[in-house]
Amino acid sequence: MLRRLLLVGCAARCLAYLLTPPSASPLLTACNPPTLRVGRVGRGGCWMATESKQRSGANSSVAPTGPTPSRSSAPFATVAVPAAVRRPRRAPGISPATWLRGLSSGSFHSFMLAVREAHGDVVRINLWPVLPPIYLMMGKEANRGVLSELDQSLEQVLQDLINLLPVSANIPSEVDVELQKKVASLFQSVATVNERLPSFIMIAERIRDSWLENHGETQQRPLNVFFELSEFVLRADLEILYGPTFCAKYADRILPEFQRWVGELGQLGATPVGFFTQLGELLREALRERQKHPERYVGERSVMQIYLQEGALDAHDEAGVVGLLTMTLMAAVFNTQVSLAWILAHLYAEPELLATARTELRRCADLAQYSNLVQLSFVNSCIDEAVRLHTMLPGNTVLRRATQELVFDGLPIPKGSLLWLYPNAVHRDETYFPRAASFCPYRLLKEGWGLNGGVSLSMDGCLEPVAAACNAAGAGSGMCPVLGGMAGAVVADGGSFIPAASPAGAPVAATEAQSPLRRMSDEYELVTFGHGTKRCIGEKMARAMICAFLGTVLPAVDAKVAATGLPKDDNLFDLIPASKLELHDLRPHRNDR
């Protein structure tokens, strides 16, 4: 019980990023009778925009509700709103009985399901006057609303949140939009990814060789996967964010402090203060060096260089720029590390999945070309499936702040309120993901696995060796070894699950638009990398890092997981269960082909 209370307390602390109430009243202001623009959309939903005029002047608030308007929707019509209709209903709060039921449920996800079952998809958490209103939102329409329809009226709050954490960083509260666009352009550039890939592979090779050199020791003691990956993700991200020169000069100095913190995760008193304090000192030293000798860094592709070129030190003081650079590392490191650790654990736990991944990776002509990595359908499905199951961001927490008064599903949301979206309400819903707690990358393959009213489709012909690997490992042709004959996809409207058992290599009639991955994204069932304008800008780089590591390690290393299986992932904070992942009996892989 103490552990669960601490979990809830930590969650509340993470939400405590706004200590000042919004300047506007939390209640909708009194106004003249508004008008509604109503457009009919599919399945009975509607999108609304309330337009009102205050006595002191004109004001308006956008209020999307329900499913997205289809392109064929009828034009909006302005109609008068009766007084009875104008009076908005309030989102329910969490009752004491629900709190008790949730806290006794045994996991964070079970707690959230208890809240949803008792109170619906939108719940108001009232901590006023300590915090502004918090609206906990769950379900497909909540995903659609927060990540699409309401997006223009919401702002991210990561910078405010990090300032409350013990990271020794002073991050400016305002967002420099133009600067962030430059950073996004860097991350999304294929040329930049290709420039970094040889370094990713070199770091992965060094770690792989270290594992094999010490494989005799790992037969006696397990290898902590999450801890071992800390060197790979830290070195790779230091180079991406701060440049190759920074990485070469400082990585060896900062790695021990980072690994010390990672090794203490889950222990009472574990804190990242030491690591981020040292990082801040090194960033200040590097910034001053670049200001003194700018000619040495001309042409370097890094976030630090973009900041300097775009005049970040003119807009912010040194502490602010150090805070922004620190924030980028925090955003980059942990999701990649958590996802990669779980992928390794799941693949080594399932020989059929491991054989499939190895076969696909052997066909990759050059790991140092991003155009080759995006063709690794199965490996990329492993990435999406691991993020769906195991990462805190976005699975457990997507935080936004309302920049104006909103209405969602008929419920008013005051300006300044915090919206807490819980995508795992859908990611772990059996309606959309049968056996949702199971790791099955096949369900997300872009080609096939059954769509369009029962037409059986198989994997694309280019994946034929993947099915052959499954057969060699004991899995049936065209069959997911985890879900068995259920490897298929949910039909968008009917909700039925269609098996896909056609022979591998058969022609595929499905187009990209019909693929499970595309459909799930379009339907807001799968939001593993976010959606729309605030989609994760580091997706390309993260996929490149993970694919490069898997392509370097999996073909060369055999391992097992503990006989007791993988640890249970039932925590709000993804680092805790990931830190318990272990591999046993590491040894060189003998390629029997």
Side-chain angles (χ1 to χ4, degrees):
M1 175 62 74
L2 177 60
R3 178 172 175 268
R4 288 192 287 268
L5 290 174
L6 287 173
L7 183 150
V8 174
C10 289
R13 187 180 187 282
C14 284
L15 293 174
Y17 67 97
L18 283 175
L19 300 180
T20 306
S23 57
S25 170
L27 299 177
L28 293 175
T29 55
C31 58
N32 292 328
T35 60
L36 272 182
R37 296 186 303 154
V38 182
R40 183 177 179 83
V41 299
R43 288 184 285 185
C46 68
W47 181 94
M48 297 192 302
T50 62
E51 299 178 346
S52 61
K53 293 184 179 179
Q54 296 179 341
R55 292 188 179 92
S56 59
N59 188 25
S60 65
S61 62
V62 179
T65 71
T68 311
S70 65
R71 293 183 180 178
S72 61
S73 297
F76 290 110
T78 302
V79 297
V81 182
V85 176
R86 289 203 309 271
R87 183 172 299 170
R89 58 191 178 92
R90 290 174 58 87
I94 303 178
S95 67
T98 304
W99 279 108
L100 291 174
R101 178 186 170 196
L103 290 173
S104 63
S105 62
S107 75
F108 178 74
H109 182 62
S110 298
F111 170 77
M112 298 296 268
L113 291 184
V115 171
R116 188 183 187 191
E117 181 181 350
H119 303 296
D121 286 354
V122 183
V123 180
R124 188 176 189 270
I125 302 174
N126 187 6
L127 299 178
W128 193 267
V130 178
L131 293 173
I134 301 169
Y135 289 83
L136 174 61
M137 304 173 69
M138 294 178 269
K140 277 178 60 173
E141 295 311 316
N143 288 353
R144 189 191 306 273
V146 172
L147 300 176
S148 180
E149 277 94 341
L150 296 172
D151 181 69
Q152 295 300 317
S153 302
L154 302 174
E155 61 183 0
Q156 293 178 310
V157 296
L158 181 62
Q159 295 182 202
D160 301 283
L161 177 61
I162 292 178
N163 274 331
L164 287 178
L165 300 177
V167 297
S168 187
N170 180 25
I171 302 170
S173 58
E174 68 277 5
V175 177
D176 189 328
V177 176
E178 293 305 315
L179 186 60
Q180 294 308 312
K181 287 181 179 178
K182 296 280 187 179
V183 173
S185 179
L186 173 76
F187 277 110
Q188 294 167 356
S189 166
V190 173
T192 302
V193 176
N194 284 337
E195 187 178 290
R196 299 274 77 85
L197 271 168
S199 178
F200 298 165
I201 295 170
M202 182 181 66
I203 301 169
E205 288 173 343
R206 185 162 62 243
I207 294 174
R208 176 201 64 194
D209 294 344
S210 173
W211 288 1
L212 292 178
E213 288 171 4
N214 301 320
H215 73 273
E217 297 180 17
T218 58
Q219 290 178 344
Q220 303 298 323
R221 58 180 179 82
L223 181 139
N224 186 296
V225 184
F226 189 73
F227 177 86
E228 291 289 331
L229 290 175
S230 58
E231 178 178 359
F232 174 72
V233 295
L234 183 65
R235 289 186 184 275
D237 283 322
L238 289 179
E239 187 170 314
I240 297 166
L241 302 176
Y242 311 145
T245 302
F246 184 98
C247 184
K249 185 175 182 180
Y250 297 118
D252 288 337
R253 290 169 58 180
I254 200 171
L255 179 61
E257 190 64 34
F258 182 66
Q259 289 183 319
R260 182 196 63 77
W261 173 44
V262 171
E264 293 176 354
L265 283 171
Q267 300 179 18
L268 189 63
T271 173
V273 171
F275 167 70
F276 285 108
T277 299
Q278 185 181 19
L279 175 64
E281 294 170 353
L282 299 182
L283 286 173
R284 290 182 180 87
E285 183 179 317
L287 286 171
R288 293 165 188 169
E289 162 67 18
R290 286 173 182 256
Q291 288 179 288
K292 187 177 181 180
H293 300 287
E295 71 282 357
R296 297 178 182 177
Y297 304 95
V298 175
E300 179 186 272
R301 296 183 183 181
S302 71
V303 174
M304 182 184 288
Q305 190 64 13
I306 287 177
Y307 280 10
L308 292 178
Q309 290 174 352
E310 298 301 317
L313 284 172
D314 297 329
H316 309 285
D317 58 15
E318 185 181 76
V321 174
V322 168
L324 289 171
L325 291 170
T326 300
M327 180 183 69
T328 59
L329 184 69
M330 293 185 68
V333 167
F334 297 117
N335 263 16
T336 303
Q337 190 170 352
V338 167
S339 301
L340 182 52
W342 278 105
I343 291 170
L344 286 169
H346 281 299
L347 292 181
Y348 281 117
E350 296 287 343
E352 298 89 347
L353 298 181
L354 178 61
T356 303
R358 281 174 169 164
T359 303
E360 186 176 69
L361 288 166
R362 288 191 192 105
R363 292 175 57 88
C364 183
D366 185 2
L367 289 173
Q369 292 296 318
Y370 185 73
S371 60
N372 292 332
L373 302 185
V374 296
Q375 300 301 319
L376 300 173
S377 301
F378 181 80
V379 173
N380 278 284
S381 294
C382 288
I383 296 173
D384 283 296
E385 185 75 340
V387 175
R388 179 186 74 84
L389 280 172
H390 298 298
T391 59
M392 176 179 175
L393 302 173
N396 286 336
T397 307
V398 173
L399 298 175
R400 299 286 190 267
R401 179 168 47 211
T403 59
Q404 62 184 62
E405 295 175 357
L406 305 170
V407 175
F408 176 79
D409 194 26
L411 300 171
I413 299 175
K415 177 181 178 180
S417 298
L418 174 67
L419 277 65
W420 175 7
L421 179 67
Y422 181 62
N424 275 352
V426 178
H427 286 172
R428 298 194 177 194
D429 190 330
E430 298 283 333
T431 303
Y432 310 111
F433 300 93
R435 300 188 192 175
S438 298
F439 179 85
C440 183
Y442 287 104
R443 69 168 110 231
L444 303 179
L445 278 173
K446 290 193 288 186
E447 297 88 3
W449 297 107
L451 286 176
N452 294 335
V455 177
S456 294
L457 302 174
S458 70
M459 292 181 289
D460 191 288
C462 69
L463 293 180
E464 183 174 357
V466 176
C470 288
N471 290 333
S477 176
M479 182 176 294
C480 174
V482 178
L483 303 185
M486 293 179 62
V490 180
V491 176
D493 294 326
S496 59
F497 197 77
I498 303 169
S502 299
V508 177
T511 64
E512 174 74 11
Q514 296 170 320
S515 69
L517 189 61
R518 178 68 175 270
R519 179 189 56 75
M520 289 177 182
S521 177
D522 290 345
E523 291 288 319
Y524 295 88
E525 295 167 6
L526 189 71
V527 293
T528 46
F529 285 91
H531 216 283
T533 60
K534 296 183 178 71
R535 187 177 178 90
C536 175
I537 64 173
E539 180 180 355
K540 279 191 178 74
M541 201 69 75
R543 288 187 185 275
M545 288 173 61
I546 293 174
C547 288
F549 189 90
L550 295 176
T552 302
V553 172
L554 289 184
V557 179
D558 275 332
K560 299 177 181 177
V561 298
T564 54
L566 302 180
K568 189 175 182 180
D569 187 2
D570 59 357
N571 203 301
L572 167 63
F573 301 104
D574 52 4
L575 304 184
I576 305 301
S579 68
K580 301 175 183 178
L581 293 170
E582 295 179 345
L583 291 180
H584 296 251
D585 192 20
L586 269 74
R587 60 203 180 280
H589 172 60
R590 293 182 178 180
N591 190 350
D592 297 329
R593 293 185 61 190

